[in-house]
Each structure stands twice: as structure tokens, then as C-alpha cells.
Amino acid sequence: MGNPVTKGRPRPTSPGTHPSGDDRFRYLDAAMKRQRYRPDALIEVLHTAQELFGYLEPDLLRYVARGLRLPPSRVYGVATFYHLFTFHPKGEHTCTVCTGTACYVKGADTLLGVVEQLTGTPPGTTTADGRISLETARCLGACGLAPIVVFDGKVVGQITPEEIVDRVKGWLDHGS
């Protein structure tokens, strides 16, 4: 008689035996095992997968779905709901403009346009040279600081178009 939690549950792979030979799958397997392959650990597992791989590609989402015994549509739905999950490799720097109601009223659209014009890349994409990713967030939950922009994980509130130009030009001209 086996463990009732894992009985009959197919394991994604044995440690170190993923067909790709990529050791990151071993760590992902360990994370799912640590969560006892519980479907309600999906968000935690997706965070781990993104930390390991940098972004969530479709094959990786299917791998997680299989490991947690969830329909792939549910895994995709959860991953696409949260703006912190990404499906493409990110650039060297990331600029996330909050487009929530408060930020929109205080000029988020203008800020987004300024960055788009400077980088030549629309929201949700990365510049051709891979230096800057421009993203949007539905709401970052700090509406009192609107408009908000997140530069490489650092939140900057009440930002002006001039300040965002200085920051992005610094990335483009000097890389910092």
C-alpha cells in the first residue's frame, strides 16, 4: 500500500532523468515534491519554474500541469492572470508601467507612450537588442503613489515623463 497522497500519481520524471538533460527540471521536480504535488500549490510552483527558467514557455506550463495533475488550460489561465509571470525572455532591464485606474487618470498612458517612443518597442515586448522589456500591469495596488512605474523591480511612484525619459535613456546610453 503506497502513500495515499501520491498513490497512482504519475511523476513527471525521476531526478536527473529529464530527456533534455536540463538540471533545472530536477529542481522543479523537487519543488513539486516539496508541495506534495498538490494542485493548490500551482502558483508557488509557477514562481519556482520562472525563477529557474527565467520565463514560462508552453512546454514548461504543460510539464507543471502534468506534475500537479491539472488541466493545462487551468495552469495557463492562472499563469496569464498574474502579471508577474512572463512568457518570453526578458530584456536586461524591465520597465513596467501600471495602467490601473488611478495611474491611468494620472498619466500612465503618456508614460507608456514616452517609453514606447524611446525604445521603439510596444508594451509586452523586448527591444531587438534585448536590452529593455516594456511591460504593463493592470494594477500594482499602490494607487496613492500614482502614476507608478517599476524599473528592474524597484517601484517609483508619482513619476513624471521627464524622470522616465532620464531613466530609460540611461539604460539605452550607458546600460544603467
Side-chain angles (χ1 to χ4, degrees), residues 92-93 131 152 166-176:
E92 185 180 332
H93 298 284
R131 293 177 76 184
D152 290 336
D166 288 345
R167 180 71 66 108
V168 173
K169 276 191 171 182
W171 286 345
L172 292 171
D173 296 341
H174 313 293
S176 61

Side-chain angles (χ1 to χ4, degrees), residues 52-132:
L52 290 169
F53 293 88
Y55 64 100
L56 303 173
E57 59 183 328
D59 288 344
L60 187 57
L61 293 175
R62 282 192 289 274
Y63 187 83
V64 168
R66 185 171 154 240
L68 298 180
R69 297 189 66 182
L70 289 169
S73 60
R74 181 165 177 198
V75 174
Y76 182 78
V78 169
T80 55
F81 180 79
Y82 294 101
H83 78 275
L84 293 175
F85 295 121
T86 183
F87 304 98
H88 307 286
K90 285 190 173 184
E92 185 180 332
H93 298 284
T94 302
C95 177
T96 305
V97 178
C98 179
T99 57
T101 303
C103 289
Y104 186 81
V105 168
K106 297 246 180 168
D109 201 34
T110 301
L111 297 175
L112 197 57
V114 165
V115 177
E116 189 173 348
Q117 187 175 16
L118 280 173
T119 61
T121 187
T125 61
T126 300
T127 56
D129 61 2
R131 293 177 76 184
I132 300 175

Side-chain angles (χ1 to χ4, degrees), residues 11-18 22-37 45 48 52-53 63-64 66-67:
R11 300 287 168 98
T13 60
S14 298
T17 61
H18 190 271
D22 191 335
D23 279 346
R24 294 176 294 184
F25 282 102
R26 189 174 52 158
Y27 294 113
L28 183 58
D29 289 341
M32 287 192 283
K33 183 177 182 180
R34 192 172 37 256
Q35 299 294 334
R36 298 183 181 175
Y37 302 98
V45 171
T48 300
L52 290 169
F53 293 88
Y63 187 83
V64 168
R66 185 171 154 240

